[in-house]
Amino acid sequence: MSIAKDKIFAVIMAGGKGERLWPLSTDERPKPLISLNGQQTLLEDTVQRLFPLLNAENILVITDEKSAAQAREILMLPAENIIAEPCRRNTAPCIALAAALIKRKCADATMIILPADHRIAPVKRFQEDLLDCIEQAQKGSLTILGVTPDKPATGYGYINAGEKIAPGIYKVNAFKEKPDFATAQHYMMDGNYWWNCGIFVWQVAAIAAAFKEYCPGLYDKFASWADGGDYRKDFENCEKISIDYAIMEKADHVAVKQASFQWNDLGTLGALYEITMKDFHENAISTKGKLQLEESDQNLIFCDDDTEIRMENIKNCAIIKSGKSLLITTKW
């Protein structure tokens, strides 16, 4: 199936606070706008991994008022593509708004929904998986990416994959809430339960039809906005609900693509530990200053300036310094 590039859009959701990564992430500098490598922000990384799959004019970023101004400064996207939500109303209203704005431009568009704060590699495999999802979405499916668990994680929702309907793509049997440890172990051993990474692909027409059937109040908002209505006047009246509760757990034409890339949602200090380079003693270290470690192992040390740090006989702790703020905690 040929895919018309000008009819493929991406929506990057960048409205999260990232409170679990304080002090790296704060109200003034939310998680999508932090840098973990001293170079690009997580938001910039998210945009960059969409090229050359998409055109810049077809990438939308939805965030809050404060972050929108900062995003316009750092992103090489049209300024009007950085959209500020009037208030936070969870992912379903955010997606309904994005779908409406895309429909104004292209009624038969296919849209990719992705969070702004993930670590994904390699990019080539990610893009190949997106192309498979786009192809499945153009058959009418609401398509989601599922990540094969490498540990019994209790912090993620899970997708139960059922019948195979295309190479690497399966019908979704059920969505499962964040499990306890024993259930997560069972899911991992079963092999048909994958992490829900929150990356979706569908046609604008398909998600509009799903809103109409399962969330009619939000569909009315979508229809009004798509016809040119001003979302700034009534967005706060939207029901505060996630896309999973509003649509995905109810719809019967949901497909999951098994991801072939490595994924980390960077939602916790534990996730930060996983992606950070480690020394011989399993200390994960990212700092610009002098660091002395004595009889210390399996720690996370993250400092964004040249502060000198010395640790003696410390194990399984996190020391996070950003600006004038400091966090010291037993590990995650």
Side-chain angles (χ1 to χ4, degrees):
M1 178 184 293
S2 62
I3 297 172
K5 186 175 179 179
D6 62 335
K7 294 186 177 182
I8 307 300
F9 289 74
V11 178
I12 300 172
M13 297 185 293
K17 290 183 177 181
E19 293 171 332
R20 290 177 293 175
L21 285 186
W22 185 91
L24 297 178
S25 176
T26 64
D27 284 341
E28 294 300 318
R29 186 183 58 190
K31 187 165 62 163
L33 294 175
I34 67 174
S35 171
L36 297 179
N37 59 10
Q39 300 174 25
Q40 292 195 133
T41 64
L42 296 178
L43 177 56
E44 288 173 287
D45 285 343
T46 305
V47 171
Q48 285 299 318
R49 73 173 66 103
L50 291 171
F51 297 128
L53 191 63
L54 274 72
N55 299 321
E57 59 267 25
N58 285 9
I59 299 174
L60 279 64
V61 175
I62 299 191
T63 185
D64 56 69
E65 256 332 317
K66 188 181 298 182
S67 298
Q70 298 177 63
R72 291 188 186 105
E73 291 179 2
I74 63 174
L75 296 177
M76 300 297 290
L77 299 177
E80 63 271 18
N81 284 24
I82 315 298
I83 297 133
E85 289 180 313
C87 57
R88 287 188 173 94
R89 280 295 180 267
N90 214 318
T91 53
C94 173
I95 289 168
L97 172 59
L101 297 178
I102 291 171
K103 187 178 179 183
R104 292 182 187 180
K105 299 182 178 184
C106 180
D108 58 345
T110 299
M111 56 190 292
I112 303 163
I113 309 292
L114 58 163
D117 50 7
H118 291 176
R119 176 65 61 88
I120 289 173
V123 171
K124 185 175 185 295
R125 287 189 180 179
F126 170 69
Q127 293 190 352
E128 289 170 349
D129 286 353
L130 284 183
L131 287 171
D132 289 342
C133 290
I134 290 168
E135 185 172 342
Q136 184 61 38
Q138 291 183 347
K139 298 175 183 177
S141 296
L142 303 177
T143 311
I144 186 170
L145 276 163
V147 175
T148 305
D150 59 10
K151 60 181 178 295
T154 59
Y156 302 139
Y158 285 72
I159 303 163
N160 180 211
E163 175 190 359
K164 188 174 184 178
I165 56 178
I169 298 180
Y170 302 80
K171 180 178 175 59
V172 171
N173 282 342
F175 288 86
K176 300 293 184 179
E177 296 297 318
K178 296 175 182 177
D180 57 29
F181 186 76
T183 304
Q185 284 183 311
H186 166 72
Y187 287 168
M188 189 171 176
M189 293 176 64
D190 181 281
N192 292 315
Y193 288 84
W194 303 331
W195 291 333
N196 181 350
C197 68
I199 299 176
F200 308 95
V201 185
W202 44 54
Q203 292 177 308
V204 168
I207 194 63
F211 277 125
K212 188 172 185 178
E213 181 172 358
Y214 301 112
C215 201
L218 202 45
Y219 172 78
D220 290 343
K221 292 285 195 301
F222 158 83
S224 171
W225 299 333
D227 286 341
D230 187 353
Y231 65 88
R232 291 168 295 187
K233 293 182 177 180
D234 59 357
F235 190 84
E236 66 179 359
N237 298 327
C238 292
E239 179 183 4
K240 195 173 185 179
I241 187 171
S242 73
I243 194 67
D244 298 282
Y245 285 130
I247 302 295
M248 303 305 286
E249 294 182 5
K250 301 173 183 177
D252 59 4
H253 55 297
V254 181
V256 58
K257 161 69 179 174
Q258 186 174 20
S260 64
F261 52 83
Q262 297 178 344
W263 172 84
N264 192 307
D265 80 334
L266 302 178
T268 64
L269 293 179
L272 187 58
Y273 178 84
E274 288 180 11
I275 68 162
T276 304
M277 291 289 291
K278 299 172 183 64
D279 67 8
F280 184 74
H281 298 283
E282 292 298 305
N283 294 296
I285 301 167
S286 178
T287 179
K288 298 177 181 178
K290 184 177 180 181
L291 177 64
Q292 293 180 281
L293 298 175
E294 296 184 11
E295 301 297 325
S296 297
D297 52 50
Q298 297 183 354
N299 298 295
L300 170 63
I301 305 104
F302 201 105
C303 178
D304 59 9
D305 61 23
D306 59 358
T307 298
E308 183 173 350
I309 298 173
R310 181 169 178 166
M311 298 176 68
E312 299 180 1
N313 299 303
I314 302 294
K315 302 180 188 296
N316 300 313
C317 286
I319 296 179
I320 313 294
K321 182 180 185 298
S322 182
K324 296 182 178 180
S325 299
L326 175 66
L327 172 69
I328 303 174
T329 180
T330 53
K331 194 165 64 177
W332 12 123

